[in-house]
Amino acid sequence: MHAFEIDLFVKEPFPFDEAFRRASRMPIGDSVVTVASIDDIIAMKQDAGRAQDAEDIEVLLQLKQPPPPDEIRDAPFDGSFEGTRRRQALLGRKISPAERLRLLERRTAELRSLLGRAS
């Protein structure tokens, strides 16, 4: 069984029909998942105003920028959690959402194996 996080809203925090038209549809396994556009996610995070949302907005804005040819290879890496997060975000731009999910599933299985927990 795979676990992942989904944001649900009790009330509509934005014009849903407009956001739905801008959303992407992506096949994941046997399903098609609708994912809000980066601009709509940024707007939702700005409205929420939490510290984590501010950090996420920074990363999302970076994802919108086309990477220079050697950005990932030449990016400074200090070994910190934030450095790892930024590097992973940059690397993630080069693969599809379905490939990201498969990679996450493989890494999760590897971690469970290392911890002695079968998946």
Side-chain angles (χ1 to χ4, degrees):
M1 173 172 269
H2 304 286
F4 51 91
E5 189 173 310
I6 298 176
D7 289 330
L8 299 175
F9 302 100
V10 176
K11 67 176 191 161
E12 192 172 285
F14 53 87
F16 178 80
D17 291 336
E18 294 171 22
F20 189 75
R21 280 192 295 277
R22 290 187 295 266
S24 300
R25 278 86 185 152
M26 300 173 198
I28 297 181
D30 294 333
S31 301
V32 175
V33 178
T34 302
V35 180
S37 71
I38 289 178
D39 289 333
D40 287 328
I41 294 171
I42 290 170
M44 285 185 269
K45 288 185 169 291
Q46 286 172 330
D47 287 344
R50 299 171 298 194
Q52 179 62 48
D53 291 317
E55 292 176 20
D56 291 343
I57 289 169
E58 188 178 324
V59 171
L60 289 167
L61 289 171
Q62 288 176 8
L63 288 173
K64 287 183 63 172
Q65 302 300 316
D70 299 319
E71 180 180 12
I72 295 170
R73 187 191 69 213
D74 298 336
F77 179 63
D78 61 6
S80 69
F81 174 78
E82 187 60 31
T84 300
R85 186 171 171 211
R86 289 187 189 291
R87 189 174 207 100
Q88 291 301 319
L90 293 172
L91 289 169
R93 287 195 287 208
K94 294 190 172 208
I95 60 175
S96 72
E99 289 173 302
R100 287 183 214 166
L101 181 60
R102 284 191 290 277
L103 178 62
L104 178 62
E105 289 171 340
R106 280 196 308 272
R107 296 282 164 83
T108 301
E110 290 170 8
L111 287 172
R112 285 186 176 141
S113 175
L114 288 172
L115 295 172
R117 299 178 189 161
S119 54

